[in-house]
Amino acid sequence: MVLTFYTNPMSRGRIARWMLEEVGVPYDTVLLDYAPDAAQSVKGADFLAINPMGKVPAIVHDARVVTEGAAICAYLAEAFPNAGLAPTADERADYYRWLFFAAGPVEQAITNKSMGFAPSEDQGRMAGYGNYDLAVDVLEAAVSRHDYIAGNRFTAADVYVGSQVGWGLAFGSMPTRDAFTAYWGRLESRDAYKRATEIDDALMPREG
């Protein structure tokens, strides 16, 4: 088994790093730079052959490429079932529903809001997320139903949904609500999250 992780600590690669630490299998890390002329660049030919979008994260597992944070979480949960992070039959509906809700409508809503775009009522009918307030309200209701997004235990879906909530609270792109802070509080105390954060923080560029 060969598992290689392509990332930058200032990226959504932190989501995949957390998931890798939850899975607990050995992996190699390739650190990529955003500068196009860097020796290891997200825009370099070697990485573009892996992900033509020139975006991280990406993993290569036994010569199979997986990109997109939500897909990486779901893939690793299934590829390494001993970690117990894939859904049971009872959890499957909520697991996939909210994993991809966070990757689609929530991601779009937050990105557009941060860019200063708010859809009109007519545009909201076309947009997959409707509007920012609606997407956030639905997510709040989802994290309020159980301790974890798919039920009463932690799954891979919590890595992705939790990352959206944690980053949203940290950077102000999501409102501070009791349901969000309680949900994130349960996740940020996990050992795998702490390990992943420590690794990525150590890779951050240092001033001076």
Side-chain angles (χ1 to χ4, degrees), residues 83-95:
L85 298 173
T88 64
D90 288 341
E91 295 165 340
R92 194 170 291 130
D94 279 347
Y95 175 96

mmCIF file with all atom_site columns, all heavy atoms in Angstrom, residues 83-95:
data_model
loop_
_atom_site.group_PDB
_atom_site.id
_atom_site.type_symbol
_atom_site.label_atom_id
_atom_site.label_alt_id
_atom_site.label_comp_id
_atom_site.label_asym_id
_atom_site.label_entity_id
_atom_site.label_seq_id
_atom_site.pdbx_PDB_ins_code
_atom_site.Cartn_x
_atom_site.Cartn_y
_atom_site.Cartn_z
_atom_site.occupancy
_atom_site.B_iso_or_equiv
_atom_site.pdbx_formal_charge
_atom_site.auth_seq_id
_atom_site.auth_comp_id
_atom_site.auth_asym_id
_atom_site.auth_atom_id
_atom_site.pdbx_PDB_model_num
ATOM 1  N N   . ALA A 1 83 ? -10.879 1.600  10.569 1.00 0.00 ? 83 ALA A N   1
ATOM 2  C CA  . ALA A 1 83 ? -10.933 2.850  11.333 1.00 0.00 ? 83 ALA A CA  1
ATOM 3  C C   . ALA A 1 83 ? -12.339 3.124  11.864 1.00 0.00 ? 83 ALA A C   1
ATOM 4  O O   . ALA A 1 83 ? -12.522 3.955  12.761 1.00 0.00 ? 83 ALA A O   1
ATOM 5  C CB  . ALA A 1 83 ? -10.463 4.023  10.478 1.00 0.00 ? 83 ALA A CB  1
ATOM 6  N N   . GLY A 1 84 ? -13.345 2.457  11.295 1.00 0.00 ? 84 GLY A N   1
ATOM 7  C CA  . GLY A 1 84 ? -14.713 2.618  11.776 1.00 0.00 ? 84 GLY A CA  1
ATOM 8  C C   . GLY A 1 84 ? -15.327 3.967  11.473 1.00 0.00 ? 84 GLY A C   1
ATOM 9  O O   . GLY A 1 84 ? -16.190 4.443  12.220 1.00 0.00 ? 84 GLY A O   1
ATOM 10 N N   . LEU A 1 85 ? -14.941 4.591  10.370 1.00 0.00 ? 85 LEU A N   1
ATOM 11 C CA  . LEU A 1 85 ? -15.419 5.933  10.052 1.00 0.00 ? 85 LEU A CA  1
ATOM 12 C C   . LEU A 1 85 ? -16.444 5.962  8.920  1.00 0.00 ? 85 LEU A C   1
ATOM 13 O O   . LEU A 1 85 ? -17.006 7.013  8.617  1.00 0.00 ? 85 LEU A O   1
ATOM 14 C CB  . LEU A 1 85 ? -14.240 6.837  9.686  1.00 0.00 ? 85 LEU A CB  1
ATOM 15 C CG  . LEU A 1 85 ? -13.224 7.032  10.820 1.00 0.00 ? 85 LEU A CG  1
ATOM 16 C CD1 . LEU A 1 85 ? -12.011 7.793  10.325 1.00 0.00 ? 85 LEU A CD1 1
ATOM 17 C CD2 . LEU A 1 85 ? -13.859 7.744  12.003 1.00 0.00 ? 85 LEU A CD2 1
ATOM 18 N N   . ALA A 1 86 ? -16.672 4.824  8.273  1.00 0.00 ? 86 ALA A N   1
ATOM 19 C CA  . ALA A 1 86 ? -17.720 4.727  7.266  1.00 0.00 ? 86 ALA A CA  1
ATOM 20 C C   . ALA A 1 86 ? -19.073 4.571  7.952  1.00 0.00 ? 86 ALA A C   1
ATOM 21 O O   . ALA A 1 86 ? -19.148 4.151  9.109  1.00 0.00 ? 86 ALA A O   1
ATOM 22 C CB  . ALA A 1 86 ? -17.447 3.553  6.334  1.00 0.00 ? 86 ALA A CB  1
ATOM 23 N N   . PRO A 1 87 ? -20.160 4.902  7.264  1.00 0.00 ? 87 PRO A N   1
ATOM 24 C CA  . PRO A 1 87 ? -21.470 4.849  7.921  1.00 0.00 ? 87 PRO A CA  1
ATOM 25 C C   . PRO A 1 87 ? -22.016 3.432  8.030  1.00 0.00 ? 87 PRO A C   1
ATOM 26 O O   . PRO A 1 87 ? -21.750 2.576  7.188  1.00 0.00 ? 87 PRO A O   1
ATOM 27 C CB  . PRO A 1 87 ? -22.347 5.689  6.987  1.00 0.00 ? 87 PRO A CB  1
ATOM 28 C CG  . PRO A 1 87 ? -21.732 5.488  5.627  1.00 0.00 ? 87 PRO A CG  1
ATOM 29 C CD  . PRO A 1 87 ? -20.246 5.435  5.885  1.00 0.00 ? 87 PRO A CD  1
ATOM 30 N N   . THR A 1 88 ? -22.791 3.207  9.073  1.00 0.00 ? 88 THR A N   1
ATOM 31 C CA  . THR A 1 88 ? -23.602 2.002  9.156  1.00 0.00 ? 88 THR A CA  1
ATOM 32 C C   . THR A 1 88 ? -24.832 2.202  8.267  1.00 0.00 ? 88 THR A C   1
ATOM 33 O O   . THR A 1 88 ? -25.077 3.300  7.750  1.00 0.00 ? 88 THR A O   1
ATOM 34 C CB  . THR A 1 88 ? -24.046 1.743  10.599 1.00 0.00 ? 88 THR A CB  1
ATOM 35 O OG1 . THR A 1 88 ? -24.908 2.835  11.009 1.00 0.00 ? 88 THR A OG1 1
ATOM 36 C CG2 . THR A 1 88 ? -22.850 1.661  11.538 1.00 0.00 ? 88 THR A CG2 1
ATOM 37 N N   . ALA A 1 89 ? -25.621 1.156  8.129  1.00 0.00 ? 89 ALA A N   1
ATOM 38 C CA  . ALA A 1 89 ? -26.831 1.268  7.311  1.00 0.00 ? 89 ALA A CA  1
ATOM 39 C C   . ALA A 1 89 ? -27.761 2.354  7.845  1.00 0.00 ? 89 ALA A C   1
ATOM 40 O O   . ALA A 1 89 ? -28.360 3.115  7.076  1.00 0.00 ? 89 ALA A O   1
ATOM 41 C CB  . ALA A 1 89 ? -27.553 -0.081 7.266  1.00 0.00 ? 89 ALA A CB  1
ATOM 42 N N   . ASP A 1 90 ? -27.872 2.445  9.160  1.00 0.00 ? 90 ASP A N   1
ATOM 43 C CA  . ASP A 1 90 ? -28.766 3.449  9.755  1.00 0.00 ? 90 ASP A CA  1
ATOM 44 C C   . ASP A 1 90 ? -28.230 4.870  9.599  1.00 0.00 ? 90 ASP A C   1
ATOM 45 O O   . ASP A 1 90 ? -29.009 5.831  9.591  1.00 0.00 ? 90 ASP A O   1
ATOM 46 C CB  . ASP A 1 90 ? -28.973 3.161  11.242 1.00 0.00 ? 90 ASP A CB  1
ATOM 47 C CG  . ASP A 1 90 ? -29.842 1.936  11.481 1.00 0.00 ? 90 ASP A CG  1
ATOM 48 O OD1 . ASP A 1 90 ? -30.568 1.518  10.555 1.00 0.00 ? 90 ASP A OD1 1
ATOM 49 O OD2 . ASP A 1 90 ? -29.785 1.390  12.606 1.00 0.00 ? 90 ASP A OD2 1
ATOM 50 N N   . GLU A 1 91 ? -26.910 5.005  9.473  1.00 0.00 ? 91 GLU A N   1
ATOM 51 C CA  . GLU A 1 91 ? -26.297 6.334  9.377  1.00 0.00 ? 91 GLU A CA  1
ATOM 52 C C   . GLU A 1 91 ? -26.139 6.819  7.938  1.00 0.00 ? 91 GLU A C   1
ATOM 53 O O   . GLU A 1 91 ? -25.894 7.997  7.710  1.00 0.00 ? 91 GLU A O   1
ATOM 54 C CB  . GLU A 1 91 ? -24.907 6.299  10.016 1.00 0.00 ? 91 GLU A CB  1
ATOM 55 C CG  . GLU A 1 91 ? -24.902 6.031  11.505 1.00 0.00 ? 91 GLU A CG  1
ATOM 56 C CD  . GLU A 1 91 ? -23.524 5.645  12.014 1.00 0.00 ? 91 GLU A CD  1
ATOM 57 O OE1 . GLU A 1 91 ? -22.669 5.225  11.203 1.00 0.00 ? 91 GLU A OE1 1
ATOM 58 O OE2 . GLU A 1 91 ? -23.296 5.767  13.236 1.00 0.00 ? 91 GLU A OE2 1
ATOM 59 N N   . ARG A 1 92 ? -26.277 5.912  6.986  1.00 0.00 ? 92 ARG A N   1
ATOM 60 C CA  . ARG A 1 92 ? -25.860 6.206  5.616  1.00 0.00 ? 92 ARG A CA  1
ATOM 61 C C   . ARG A 1 92 ? -26.575 7.410  4.997  1.00 0.00 ? 92 ARG A C   1
ATOM 62 O O   . ARG A 1 92 ? -25.953 8.236  4.322  1.00 0.00 ? 92 ARG A O   1
ATOM 63 C CB  . ARG A 1 92 ? -26.054 4.965  4.738  1.00 0.00 ? 92 ARG A CB  1
ATOM 64 C CG  . ARG A 1 92 ? -25.339 5.042  3.386  1.00 0.00 ? 92 ARG A CG  1
ATOM 65 C CD  . ARG A 1 92 ? -25.391 3.693  2.694  1.00 0.00 ? 92 ARG A CD  1
ATOM 66 N NE  . ARG A 1 92 ? -24.581 2.715  3.386  1.00 0.00 ? 92 ARG A NE  1
ATOM 67 C CZ  . ARG A 1 92 ? -25.001 1.503  3.746  1.00 0.00 ? 92 ARG A CZ  1
ATOM 68 N NH1 . ARG A 1 92 ? -26.255 1.136  3.504  1.00 0.00 ? 92 ARG A NH1 1
ATOM 69 N NH2 . ARG A 1 92 ? -24.184 0.673  4.356  1.00 0.00 ? 92 ARG A NH2 1
ATOM 70 N N   . ALA A 1 93 ? -27.859 7.521  5.202  1.00 0.00 ? 93 ALA A N   1
ATOM 71 C CA  . ALA A 1 93 ? -28.618 8.614  4.582  1.00 0.00 ? 93 ALA A CA  1
ATOM 72 C C   . ALA A 1 93 ? -28.122 9.978  5.058  1.00 0.00 ? 93 ALA A C   1
ATOM 73 O O   . ALA A 1 93 ? -27.806 10.864 4.253  1.00 0.00 ? 93 ALA A O   1
ATOM 74 C CB  . ALA A 1 93 ? -30.111 8.454  4.851  1.00 0.00 ? 93 ALA A CB  1
ATOM 75 N N   . ASP A 1 94 ? -28.060 10.156 6.388  1.00 0.00 ? 94 ASP A N   1
ATOM 76 C CA  . ASP A 1 94 ? -27.592 11.445 6.914  1.00 0.00 ? 94 ASP A CA  1
ATOM 77 C C   . ASP A 1 94 ? -26.124 11.673 6.588  1.00 0.00 ? 94 ASP A C   1
ATOM 78 O O   . ASP A 1 94 ? -25.715 12.811 6.330  1.00 0.00 ? 94 ASP A O   1
ATOM 79 C CB  . ASP A 1 94 ? -27.802 11.504 8.431  1.00 0.00 ? 94 ASP A CB  1
ATOM 80 C CG  . ASP A 1 94 ? -29.226 11.854 8.812  1.00 0.00 ? 94 ASP A CG  1
ATOM 81 O OD1 . ASP A 1 94 ? -29.991 12.285 7.922  1.00 0.00 ? 94 ASP A OD1 1
ATOM 82 O OD2 . ASP A 1 94 ? -29.588 11.681 9.986  1.00 0.00 ? 94 ASP A OD2 1
ATOM 83 N N   . TYR A 1 95 ? -25.331 10.625 6.612  1.00 0.00 ? 95 TYR A N   1
ATOM 84 C CA  . TYR A 1 95 ? -23.898 10.731 6.313  1.00 0.00 ? 95 TYR A CA  1
ATOM 85 C C   . TYR A 1 95 ? -23.680 11.351 4.936  1.00 0.00 ? 95 TYR A C   1
ATOM 86 O O   . TYR A 1 95 ? -22.979 12.368 4.796  1.00 0.00 ? 95 TYR A O   1
ATOM 87 C CB  . TYR A 1 95 ? -23.304 9.327  6.384  1.00 0.00 ? 95 TYR A CB  1
ATOM 88 C CG  . TYR A 1 95 ? -21.853 9.175  6.000  1.00 0.00 ? 95 TYR A CG  1
ATOM 89 C CD1 . TYR A 1 95 ? -20.860 9.173  6.962  1.00 0.00 ? 95 TYR A CD1 1
ATOM 90 C CD2 . TYR A 1 95 ? -21.478 8.957  4.676  1.00 0.00 ? 95 TYR A CD2 1
ATOM 91 C CE1 . TYR A 1 95 ? -19.522 8.976  6.637  1.00 0.00 ? 95 TYR A CE1 1
ATOM 92 C CE2 . TYR A 1 95 ? -20.151 8.762  4.329  1.00 0.00 ? 95 TYR A CE2 1
ATOM 93 C CZ  . TYR A 1 95 ? -19.171 8.775  5.308  1.00 0.00 ? 95 TYR A CZ  1
ATOM 94 O OH  . TYR A 1 95 ? -17.860 8.580  4.965  1.00 0.00 ? 95 TYR A OH  1
#
